Amino acid sequence: MFDEPFAQGPSPIHGLDPRVRLAAAGGGACCLAVTHAPEAACAGLALSAALLACSLPPPGPLVRRWAVVNLFILFLWTTVPWSVPGASLWSAYGLSVSREGLELCLLVTLKSNAILFLFVALAASMPSPTAGCALARLGMPAKLVFLFLFTYRYLHVIADEWQRMRTAALLRGFRPRTDMHTYRTLGYMLGMVLVRSYERARHIYEAMLLRGFHGRFYTVVRFRTRPRDALFALAMLCGLAAILILDHRELFHV
């Protein structure tokens, strides 16, 4: 149910150090999130698209994830231009489309797609256990890494438990509708999933304690930083610096 279609591949991105990729993805996302100039957002989108092309993602899963993100953005395009005050470009039935609203939607669209492409290219291109080890090596708190790895590991189990309960309800004649019986049944099912998940988590934790678990994972995975990792990190720093300069060009008289 929770696949990783971008985790394996022969692209140059897959051969980079996972620590460098995660640091670049996090830094790039922060840089893109604070931009306010459309030109800088366009530059960030071009950089992210270039990285995405280098990662050689499978087109099917990429289009599905792109569609999910842009479905929400489409909702913004249908509401924000009518609600943000500013210079009116078109009006009808007492409502007007403002220039500021359109500019805000354009900026959100560019930044959202740029961050999506960036994370698909750099973060989603590695398995989740590798990402957890890389986060630990980057100095992330051990408890956060522990929660990340266990959430990913047992999210599949919880999803399978929900699917079994849903199948059992359908076999007993349950048909979802917009009535109180449906809402009550779904509430009971969700509560049972939470109870069973809690019981399973308690049993797993007790079993781990019996095997000497002390709240920290130990791994034999070793990461090596090579010259191409340093070149990639330098290129990313230069690209992000150029985006920030373009975003604040009035300060640099550009």
Side-chain angles (χ1 to χ4, degrees):
M1 182 177 181
F2 300 93
D3 56 348
E4 295 181 328
F6 312 106
Q8 304 296 333
S11 72
I13 299 295
H14 288 86
L16 295 173
D17 190 329
R19 296 171 299 176
V20 175
R21 279 190 276 166
L22 286 180
C30 292
C31 176
L32 292 170
V34 299
T35 56
H36 63 275
E39 297 83 357
C42 285
L45 180 60
L47 176 62
S48 300
L51 291 172
L52 183 65
C54 292
S55 68
L56 304 176
L62 175 62
V63 170
R64 287 194 294 270
R65 284 156 176 79
W66 177 85
V68 170
V69 172
N70 284 273
L71 183 63
F72 173 74
I73 296 176
L74 180 62
F75 174 76
L76 294 181
W77 278 94
T78 60
T79 56
V80 172
W82 303 86
S83 57
V84 173
S88 177
L89 296 178
W90 180 79
S91 61
Y93 303 104
L95 299 174
S96 62
V97 176
S98 65
R99 180 187 301 274
E100 288 76 6
L102 290 176
E103 291 177 350
L104 179 60
C105 287
L106 177 62
L107 184 62
V108 171
T109 302
L110 294 172
K111 292 165 63 173
S112 300
N113 283 277
I115 294 175
L116 171 66
F117 292 165
L118 186 67
F119 268 87
V120 169
L122 299 180
S125 57
M126 68 183 76
S128 294
T130 302
C133 295
L135 288 172
R137 300 294 174 82
L138 287 173
M140 291 293 292
K143 289 185 177 180
L144 289 180
V145 176
F146 171 79
L147 287 175
F148 169 76
L149 291 175
F150 259 64
T151 299
Y152 174 79
R153 168 61 181 84
Y154 287 99
L155 201 61
H156 303 73
V157 177
I158 296 174
D160 291 339
E161 188 70 35
W162 169 262
Q163 190 62 37
R164 282 196 296 269
M165 294 188 63
R166 182 175 178 274
T167 302
L170 292 176
L171 291 176
R172 288 168 172 81
F174 171 70
R175 295 295 181 266
R177 298 183 179 89
T178 55
D179 53 19
M180 288 304 300
H181 174 69
T182 298
Y183 302 148
R184 189 180 301 109
T185 302
L186 293 176
Y188 290 154
M189 292 168 60
L190 180 60
M192 286 304 301
V193 169
L194 293 177
V195 170
R196 294 185 182 183
S197 300
Y198 171 76
E199 291 295 326
R200 186 186 293 268
R202 185 170 60 85
H203 294 158
I204 292 172
Y205 182 67
E206 292 174 352
M208 293 177 64
L209 290 179
L210 292 175
R211 289 166 173 80
F213 178 69
H214 297 292
R216 182 178 179 182
F217 283 111
Y218 297 91
T219 176
V220 296
V221 177
R222 293 184 179 273
F223 301 119
R224 291 190 306 164
T225 303
R226 290 160 291 186
R228 62 179 178 180
D229 299 313
L231 290 176
F232 174 77
L234 180 61
M236 280 294 298
L237 286 175
C238 293
L240 296 179
I243 292 173
L244 290 177
I245 291 175
L246 186 61
D247 190 50
H248 299 85
R249 58 188 182 278
E250 68 277 0
L251 300 178
F252 298 94
H253 305 288
V254 177

